[in-house]
Amino acid sequence: MVSLTFFFTLLRYTTLVSFVLGTSARNSAWNGHTTPGSTRVAAFTPYYVPPGAKSYDSASPLIHYSGKWIDSYSSGYAYHTLRSTSAVNASVSFTFTGTGIEWFGCTSNNHGQASVYVDGKLVRMVNAWSKAPLRQQRMFWVFGLPFRSHTIRIVNNAPKETNREIVRGISARSRGGVMDLDAFVVTQAGSSKTPRRADLTSLQVPSHEKWGLVQKGSTGVHAMQLAVVSETHALIVDKVEHNPLTLDGHPAWASLYNLNTHAVRPLRMLSNSFCAGGAFLGNGTLVNVGGNPVVEDRTAAAEFGDLDGLQSVRLFDPCDGDANESCSIYENHDRIRLASPRWYNTVLRISDGSAMIIGGAKKGGWINNATVNNPTLEYYPPKSIHGSDGLPIHLPFLVDTLNSNLFPMAFSLPDGNVFMAANRDAMIYNWRTNSERRLPRIPNGLRVTYPMTGSGLLLPLTPENNYTPEVLLCGGSTIDDTRPGYEISSQDVASAQCARMVLTDAGIAKGWQVEEMPQPRTMLDMVMLPTGQIVIVNGAGSGISGYGNVVNQVGASNADHPVLTPLVYDPSAAPGKRFSSKGMPSSDIPRLYHSVATLTPKGDVMIAGSNPNLDRSELMYGTEYRVEWLSPPYMAGQRPEIIGSRPRQLQFGRQVRLEVRTPTGLRNSTVKAALMDFGFVTHAVHANSRLVYLQAEYADGSLIVSGPPDGNVYPPGPAWLHILVDGIPSKGIKIIVGDGKGPAVDHKAIQNILQHTSPNQTKTSGASGEGEE
Ligand SMILES: *[C@@H]1O[C@H](CO)[C@@H](O)[C@H](O)[C@H]1NC(C)=O
Ligand SMILES: *[C@@H]1O[C@H](CO)[C@@H](O)[C@H](O)[C@H]1NC(C)=O
Ligand SMILES: *[C@@H]1O[C@H](CO)[C@@H](O)[C@H](O)[C@H]1NC(C)=O
Ligand SMILES: *[C@@H]1O[C@H](CO)[C@@H](O)[C@H](O)[C@H]1NC(C)=O
Ligand SMILES: *[C@@H]1O[C@H](CO)[C@@H](O)[C@H](O)[C@H]1NC(C)=O
Ligand SMILES: CC(=O)N[C@H]1CO[C@H](CO)[C@@H](O)[C@@H]1O
């Protein structure tokens, strides 16, 4: 109960000192600890001051109150003090210099609603009602403000007995209309080194000749993993950490991002998804598998309420259209789990529409080694294949490629086999016969997989050359992967090499064709456009992936010299003429370890993430939530448009009819159809990324598009279909390739896995409150 006595207390102003990470904290980071230095069970609260940010207690003289407020004292409050009011229109106002602000306070069934104003503008109504009382909750946050002085004002607007809110279907009544302030946290992200671009509206606008780059939106949870799931939404998956977006009284680690409105909604995920891989199955369901444990001994991290994610299979059914409330992540470790623990595994949809789950380590660490290596693959749904009965199948390639072989690169080839690259090597795996065909070693000692991270793509497959596969691998590092971290520097220059090879007998005999990017890059993201060009963004000019392992770390980053200018690679141009950054805007946001980029159905490139940190940090290189949008020149002009009724399915070898409107008409134009998988992106691996050109003919005023010949050329599952008229692509429409039924389910293999494995997941007593963010 809140007393109406109104009194001042001795005002106190404190700044929380940032944590300095010790070695043990660094090691434990890889095993799921997220609260540095924490070794014992503590009641978890979302209150967290990222290194580099500043906290201001409710009793700070810099914070001004109007109306009746009272002070309360408890060790359960930040700095042991809390200031609260139940007076209507009582307000608190605070002027700060930074790029963001977070308000921490309590929630209970006595709490009501408040209006939050930033720089005089109403930005949010916050409902502080919750069934169970919770302390040190993040009530409101905004990031990405221009770096200067701002004022936040919060007004209590819930009179007693009138605040009705529907919470989980229950009409609840606030009994007290209370609002409080425990602390403000002022964030500075984006203010260091280079000035931020001033304002969203004054950014570079795409023109006919030029590429455009705008910064807009915030991912709410750090974007470690990214996949476009529908025309309107992208799925973002992070590790368990102190993200600003909260759910059930704790930070969220997955979210749904609206590509049109930039709204973001937290998604409930049970297990620690650090660092999982993902793929869509033939029936359109996305699987996200693997991760990291909570920890053996309990820490505050456990109080996030997360479960061990090493053997997790998380299922997500995309909801199409703007309705987003119905999409959620399904996880039930008693029923559905991997046959073995995997951290840093790659997931690939193969020619039967199932997911091949490749490699990874049995537990988190910095670099793979023989002790923790999981040199196997398994399938989801599991298969009784090669005598495995659903259990892992040994893959000698993943033993021979130690140590730098996590997040192997893999592409499903048009003969149904699978190309894999790991460390300095490559091979073709025939999954039907369980046999490996080793390929020539990648030239010049280049290592292309974690932590010497390069990127790779399967080049566009075309009917004209009978879908002949060619792969392209770019960037990475030549650092000896047997060296300990203390002999590696963040300043060691990355590689500028790209190598491509045609995967036919003749092409393999000819070997890797080497070329050089204009600058070295590691942790780059390669994004295929419908035009067949490849956009290269993100990454560093020196160092390696990860954090807290090498000498000369920048903050905690193992890498430095962020590369800020995107690059275009045209695979069909003559050698020497393939790279260009002409007309390309530069970013001012470093995107190093844990950055992502993907094509969107509109045709622009969504760029997000960067977090070479144990937990959210504001020190260079801080945790990045801002999103950027890179628009190819075709976005600015008139584009062809798919109109009328849209086919939902594209069967193998069958045709669909499309109505296409173009600025000039189709009759005299070159028309192409591009069938694309935008992939599941994490750690520079664009798993499943694919572009297959289809036969398209103009007849009777519409366009007849022929489906791919079979599931080898395009593994059955979701795709984006773009029409290109004279090289200008339309927006993509979502289409299911194949019958949409999904891979065969082998109940015997599933039962065998359940019998031979344990869920291995520690249930925790994490704080679980009521109510959505
Ligand atoms: C609170 O402020 C609003 C807007 O200024 C005003 O309309 C309302 O009468 C005030 N209520 C009380 C109880 O002071
Ligand atoms: C989800 O839908 C609601 C209601 O239409 C909307 O207000 C919100 O912005 C949507 N969120 C996302 C992430 O699309
Ligand atoms: C797709 O297949 C997977 C694996 O069998 C299954 O778990 C999932 O529920 C299916 N999705 C739909 C929409 O049927
Ligand atoms: C192998 O990696 C694990 C995880 O990082 C580490 O704990 C272990 O010490 C390593 N073993 C060797 C022999 O380097
Ligand atoms: C299209 O081609 C036809 C037949 O070749 C020709 O008569 C016509 O002028 C062309 N139209 C345009 C707009 O180029
Ligand atoms: C921490 C833990 O429970 N580990 C167990 C995971 O499951 C395997 C196989 O059942 C056990 O051997 C581990 O002890």
Side-chain angles (χ1 to χ4, degrees), residues 21-98:
L21 307 184
T23 314
S24 62
R26 276 188 211 136
N27 290 340
S28 60
W30 296 105
N31 286 308
H33 294 258
T34 51
T35 304
S38 171
T39 53
R40 60 191 177 78
V41 185
F44 175 77
T45 61
Y47 175 71
Y48 169 76
V49 186
K54 263 187 180 174
S55 178
Y56 297 84
D57 181 34
S58 55
S60 162
L62 301 177
I63 301 175
H64 301 289
Y65 296 86
S66 96
K68 293 186 176 182
W69 291 78
I70 60 148
D71 281 331
S72 314
Y73 305 90
S74 157
S75 58
Y77 303 138
Y79 311 100
H80 298 187
T81 61
L82 179 85
R83 195 161 285 191
S84 60
T85 183
S86 55
V88 181
N89 288 353
S91 67
V92 52
S93 160
F94 174 52
T95 297
F96 61 93
T97 298

Side-chain angles (χ1 to χ4, degrees), residues 108-113 127-131 158-167 169-178:
S108 77
N109 63 5
N110 272 325
H111 281 73
Q113 192 167 275
N127 178 20
W129 189 95
S130 69
K131 202 155 108 192
K160 252 183 177 171
E161 305 292 341
T162 63
N163 183 50
R164 268 175 180 278
E165 286 297 327
I166 307 297
V167 179
I170 305 160
S171 176
R173 189 183 284 264
S174 167
R175 294 206 302 267
V178 176

Side-chain angles (χ1 to χ4, degrees), residues 647-668:
R648 297 248 156 234
Q649 234 177 40
L650 186 58
Q651 301 270 14
F652 295 115
R654 303 268 192 84
Q655 297 181 325
V656 291
R657 184 180 287 266
L658 295 176
E659 304 283 320
V660 179
R661 184 161 57 205
T662 68
T664 52
L666 284 177
R667 200 172 289 277
N668 295 358

Side-chain angles (χ1 to χ4, degrees), residues 43 45 165 170 211 262 286 288 372 410 469 482 564 654 708 714 724 769:
T45 61
E165 286 297 327
I170 305 160
W211 293 71
H262 304 277
L286 182 115
N288 180 250
V372 294
T482 60
L564 298 169
R654 303 268 192 84
Y714 192 97
L724 289 99

